[in-house]
Amino acid sequence: MNAPFSPPNSTEPCSVETLYIENHAWLRNWLAYRLRSWGRGVADDLAHDIFLRVLTSREGARAEPIRQPRAYLTRIANCVLVSWRRRQSLERAWLEALLLLPEPEHPSPELQSVILETLHEIDMVLDTLRPRVRQAFLMATLDGMKQKDIAVVLNIALPTVKKYIHEAYLTCLTQMPDE
Amino acid sequence: MNNREPGTATLDDAIPQQVLAQAASWLMLIQEGPLLPAQQLELERWRLASAEHERAWKRAQRLLTRLGSLPPTLAKQTLDRPTGRRAVLRGLLLLIGAAPLSWWAWRSQAWRIGLGNDYQTSMGERQHARLADGTQITLNSDSAVDVLFDSTQRLLHLRRGEVYIVTAADPRPLMAQTQQGRLLALGTRFSVRQLADETLLAVYEGAVQVRPERASVASGENIIRAGQQVRFNRERLGSIEAVRETTLAWRRGLLVADDMPLRQWTQTLMRYADQHIECDPALGELRVSGTFPIDDLPLALAMLAQTYALQVRQTGKQVFISR
């Protein structure tokens, strides 16, 4: 165990407790600055998420001690931030899509939250794909379009369409956990 | 997505890329159409060949289930959200959506069903319908559509007015017919409007192939893509122009004007009310911007008058706008 008040950037390994005590305030400020238009509440929530993530990722017995706490936290915080921003834009796009649909066609609120979760998961995977690949994939899976039609719409050769869709499926399968 | 047991090493878990690539190929085959019995057998054999194949296939099945559980149109619009300028325009729509405006009430009660599967609206009405195959149509004011589905094709005949179509996946091709020709939908959202001597096609997603009645069109030609609109008559297509999603605001009872000539503004509103609107020639090339209700002409006129300091005089069914 380290002394609880060792300097934050010390190269001494430290535990999650120490990490929390020494860096929580700093992390909240770091987030508050990046999320300044969203208010303090969002930054606090995300700081909480980040420490939770640290905790779960370090539950295993084999976890290495953290040597550069702030660098480590910044790396996780950036991932959480990216994911959160993407989630925001996803929910916004969802609301806009709903607006174009008359009220009776809206899914129930419960169903909507289930759909949004699934959309968020798929969205994070699709994020790593090139726009064209993503487009071809969505046309095939959600629009149910034939590959030859996708080739016409996107103005690309059929083998390219096949390559794109295959790439997208492979990325999804690679990133999915086993149940 | 992360449900790993604590302490399990990631690398030991990984399914070889080659196996996942094979699973991806199977998914693509299934996507294109039902597997033939021989292919099904081959898939079974592949699954049973090793525990890794089986694991990969479990993932593939979960992926298919998840994708299948999504409402296609909503999911597509959400995942395929645009960035940049179009995103700003869509933001505008969201803004409109946030306002609690009573004249948004969906006015579709008064429609009546004509012969067969016809859908009709009279002036000032709108009508939304989900067809047997899942395709959704929205009729604008004073419009009529016949739905002619059989085992080989899906045909929507636009008799008059305007229809917005969101196609559903189906092995049969979906076509729209107007007085000037036929449109073949390629997985798409689009609207078709019957004008006096021509058809106006606007595509919001996917693409549509236009086949004017008297023009021969080779496949791959005359494709109108998302964000484009075109007018055509029986002989040929006009030039392709850009179209914005805000054009569809009529579905929510709104007209979104962005630097729109006043003449076009009055012509648009005349589609929704049995009134004749005329403008003082002295107003010249006045252009207007803003969001107006199309179901409440007095309110729309009042908003216009207030914003642009204009006078509106009404006598019977005549409206006159001046400075």
Side-chain angles (χ1 to χ4, degrees):
Chain A
M1 233 352 158
N2 303 303
F5 297 107
S6 66
N9 272 324
S10 114
T11 48
E12 290 286 304
C14 71
S15 70
V16 176
E17 294 92 305
T18 340
L19 189 76
Y20 186 86
I21 293 165
E22 289 176 355
N23 298 294
H24 187 247
W26 168 82
L27 181 63
R28 280 173 59 194
N29 283 328
W30 188 92
L31 286 164
Y33 175 73
R34 276 156 189 84
L35 293 163
R36 48 196 178 278
S37 56
W38 290 89
R40 195 91 210 183
V42 173
D44 289 352
D45 283 353
L46 286 186
H48 182 74
D49 284 357
I50 291 163
F51 277 107
L52 267 185
R53 208 189 249 221
V54 173
L55 261 181
T56 39
S57 71
R58 301 186 57 79
E59 265 170 2
R62 276 186 281 171
E64 289 283 307
I66 302 162
R67 296 199 174 272
Q68 297 274 345
R70 290 201 172 165
Y72 175 78
L73 278 178
T74 313
R75 201 165 63 238
I76 296 179
N78 268 321
C79 292
V80 171
L81 254 189
V82 166
S83 157
W84 182 82
R85 287 211 171 102
R86 219 171 149 88
R87 176 69 187 234
Q88 290 297 311
S89 87
L90 181 92
E91 288 184 7
R92 198 187 151 100
W94 170 259
L95 286 177
E96 287 174 20
L98 271 185
L99 267 181
L100 291 172
L101 210 63
E103 212 78 51
E105 298 282 332
H106 289 193
S108 70
E110 299 79 30
L111 190 55
Q112 282 195 37
S113 69
V114 174
I115 296 172
L116 265 174
E117 276 316 305
T118 310
L119 283 175
H120 182 60
E121 285 180 9
I122 294 173
D123 191 51
M124 291 305 286
V125 177
L126 294 184
D127 185 34
T128 60
L129 301 173
R130 286 165 292 157
R132 282 251 134 164
V133 176
R134 187 166 61 222
Q135 239 178 341
F137 179 67
L138 292 177
M139 283 175 166
T141 53
L142 293 178
D143 291 333
M145 287 173 73
K146 296 280 172 241
Q147 289 163 7
K148 62 172 174 37
D149 291 338
I150 298 174
V152 173
V153 171
L154 293 182
N155 217 358
I156 50 180
L158 184 59
T160 315
V161 174
K162 287 183 193 288
K163 204 181 76 194
Y164 282 178
I165 300 174
H166 190 267
E167 180 187 334
Y169 268 133
L170 181 57
T171 310
C172 289
L173 291 175
T174 309
Q175 296 197 17
M176 271 176 96
D178 291 310
E179 215 152 37
Chain B
M1 271 201 171
N2 224 328
N3 303 325
R4 284 183 197 293
E5 289 288 302
T8 350
T10 324
L11 275 174
D12 305 342
D13 276 348
I15 303 174
Q17 280 288 297
Q18 190 201 339
V19 174
L20 291 175
Q22 285 165 354
S25 299
W26 278 113
L27 283 174
M28 280 181 73
L29 260 183
I30 292 172
Q31 191 76 60
E32 275 290 278
L35 294 183
L36 303 169
Q39 290 173 315
Q40 266 168 17
L41 219 64
E42 202 188 322
L43 174 57
E44 282 303 307
R45 230 175 275 138
W46 179 80
R47 280 177 63 176
L48 294 173
S50 85
E52 272 165 353
H53 289 194
E54 182 61 21
R55 252 179 79 206
W57 191 243
K58 283 251 162 64
R59 280 192 200 182
Q61 279 178 317
R62 257 201 356 272
L63 181 59
L64 277 187
T65 316
R66 292 226 168 150
L67 287 169
S69 74
L70 296 171
T73 313
L74 281 171
K76 177 85 187 305
Q77 278 168 262
T78 308
L79 292 173
D80 208 12
R81 56 189 181 280
T83 48
R85 207 184 71 89
R86 278 189 66 200
V88 174
L89 276 171
R90 293 184 50 147
L92 175 67
L93 263 183
L94 183 70
L95 219 66
I96 304 163
L101 301 169
S102 61
W103 32 261
W104 265 17
W106 189 250
R107 288 178 38 177
S108 63
Q109 278 73 30
W111 62 277
R112 62 181 183 85
I113 296 176
L115 290 172
N117 284 319
D118 297 1
Y119 292 92
Q120 305 198 22
T121 53
S122 55
M123 187 170 281
E125 288 177 350
R126 281 185 300 282
Q127 150 91 20
H128 181 85
R130 182 187 287 273
L131 306 178
D133 65 330
T135 291
Q136 297 179 52
I137 59 172
T138 312
L139 274 68
N140 203 344
S141 169
D142 193 20
S143 305
V145 173
D146 289 352
V147 179
L148 306 156
F149 283 14
D150 61 28
S151 56
T152 58
Q153 66 171 28
R154 295 171 293 163
L155 181 65
L156 297 172
H157 193 155
L158 177 63
R159 300 274 178 199
R160 65 167 198 275
E162 181 176 23
V163 63
Y164 169 70
I165 302 166
V166 181
T167 61
D170 192 290
R172 297 167 295 173
L174 186 128
M175 286 180 290
Q177 173 82 48
T178 70
Q179 285 165 25
Q180 284 73 37
R182 217 163 239 225
L183 305 164
L184 172 66
L186 303 166
T188 186
R189 294 192 293 125
F190 64 107
S191 70
V192 193
R193 185 169 164 200
Q194 181 68 66
L195 299 162
D197 304 305
E198 53 186 9
T199 298
L200 174 64
L201 162 73
V203 181
Y204 299 96
E205 208 174 301
V208 173
Q209 188 187 50
V210 186
R211 298 165 177 176
E213 192 148 293
R214 293 195 200 127
S216 59
V217 176
S219 102
E221 268 179 43
N222 285 359
I223 303 283
I224 308 302
R225 296 192 161 76
Q228 299 181 335
Q229 70 172 17
V230 73
R231 287 162 196 269
F232 65 93
N233 58 25
R234 289 178 186 200
E235 280 78 32
R236 66 187 163 276
L237 267 65
S239 55
I240 291 173
E241 296 158 12
V243 69
R244 294 173 175 188
E245 195 85 32
T246 47
T247 313
L248 288 174
W250 61 262
R251 302 181 62 227
R252 306 289 306 194
L254 297 172
L255 165 64
V256 179
D258 182 10
D259 204 29
M260 180 184 273
L262 182 59
R263 183 174 303 278
Q264 194 187 336
W265 187 90
T266 58
Q267 267 161 8
T268 307
L269 283 176
M270 277 193 274
R271 288 176 66 191
Y272 302 97
D274 186 19
Q275 303 258 336
H276 186 79
I277 312 173
E278 222 167 304
C279 300
D280 185 348
L283 291 176
E285 298 300 300
L286 178 64
R287 285 169 174 269
V288 297
S289 298
T291 302
F292 302 89
I294 56 177
D295 297 331
D296 190 343
L297 184 61
L299 177 59
L301 287 167
M303 287 165 74
L304 180 84
Q306 196 185 10
T307 314
Y308 292 93
L310 301 173
Q311 305 290 325
V312 176
R313 251 189 339 210
Q314 183 156 10
T315 39
K317 294 205 166 193
Q318 293 284 325
V319 177
F320 188 74
I321 305 175
S322 61
R323 226 7 121 197

